[in-house]
Amino acid sequence: MYFKGNETIYSQIAEKIRKKIFSGEYACGARLPAIRDLAVACQVNPNTVVRVYQQLTDEGLIYTDGTNGKFVTPDAAFLGQKKREYLQGRAAQFAIEAKEAGLSEGEALALAASALAGVFKEENR
Amino acid sequence: MKSYKFERIAKNYGRKQVLFGVSGAFPPGSTVGLLGLNGAGKTTLLNILGNCDRDFSGYISLRGNAVAYMPTRLPFPTFWQVREVLDFYGRFYKFDRFLADQLLLEAKISPHARLSALSDGMRRMVAFIGCYCTDAQVYLLDEPLTNLDAFLRAEIADLLIGRALGEKITVIATHEIKEFENLFTHICILRGGGLSPLKDAEEIRAEGMSIEEYYRGKAK
């Protein structure tokens, strides 16, 4: 896995796993990769992975079942809420960027609408 | 386990003073990148920490067979066979011979080959295996990737990752920052005969710098 050199590794891995949880690749209640396996797969220090799992545990997205490993929380409603919060954050980021670039609210909305239409059209076909 | 400490290490070659009272403390479980320009004294320091050089002044908290060292050059006669090298480690250290034989097999190095018949890269791998299979508290690796092919590099990285959890301390002196930067928990830089304070690798990144940028800023 490629990492940006000037950003903390643990936050980059945490973001990647968060996305996988929200997309359902790591489904509700599913087991996450073992610390050592993920460390080898990402070629990072396992202590970094420990920190990633700690962070995600603090956020409530995952939990530890004794020595069985780490699992995605089985609480689907909670996951749904977290997903919305996450996407809301990304949308807010877009809003700020659009404003900084000098767009009006209507123009930004049109951009977002056309992007959404472009992505969802493929599915509806 | 306590930190691995060394204090006021000084060393001169004749009139040339190389280390001017180097001090450091590495916490348990750390993987430390020991960086520095050519001639900064990395190998000199590791030779001292790794029991290969006793002509120095200063204090070191762990000595003897608590420390395993992979030097840049194997200090054994070149007519020795690989298995004799491993026998040697087995005589002086608590040594995992089973693992060593397995790693040799994976690296496709015959235990009956003479050191003189091996390529530089294979000799480096033998040195790495000797160090890695030793049961010690501190592992010192001096440029472990030099002359190794992509396969053996990956093998070494995976082995180091597999063991980085726990209390053991690994110190890697290297110029190959890119290969190791995500493995380091801490960085320290040898420069002008002194050692910079230990810096947390993630803290460096949190400040918006890559390890390489940090090193470039500090090394000169």
Side-chain angles (χ1 to χ4, degrees), chain A residues 62-82:
Chain A
I62 69 173
Y63 70 99
T64 308
D65 178 15
T67 53
N68 283 337
K70 315 275 179 195
F71 294 85
V72 180
T73 176
D75 186 346
F78 177 79
L79 266 192
Q81 183 204 333
K82 278 280 172 191

Side-chain angles (χ1 to χ4, degrees), chain B residues 74-81 85 115-116:
Chain B
L74 276 176
F76 306 111
T78 51
F79 60 79
W80 274 20
Q81 295 178 7
V85 173
L115 292 182
S116 57

Side-chain angles (χ1 to χ4, degrees), chain A residues 26-39:
Chain A
Y26 294 147
C28 221
R31 175 193 255 128
L32 290 156
I35 287 168
R36 219 168 281 250
D37 295 345
L38 189 57

Side-chain angles (χ1 to χ4, degrees), chain B residues 195-206:
Chain B
L195 196 65
S196 75
L198 201 64
K199 182 91 175 167
D200 188 291
E202 288 282 70
E203 248 170 57
I204 293 174
R205 294 188 199 99

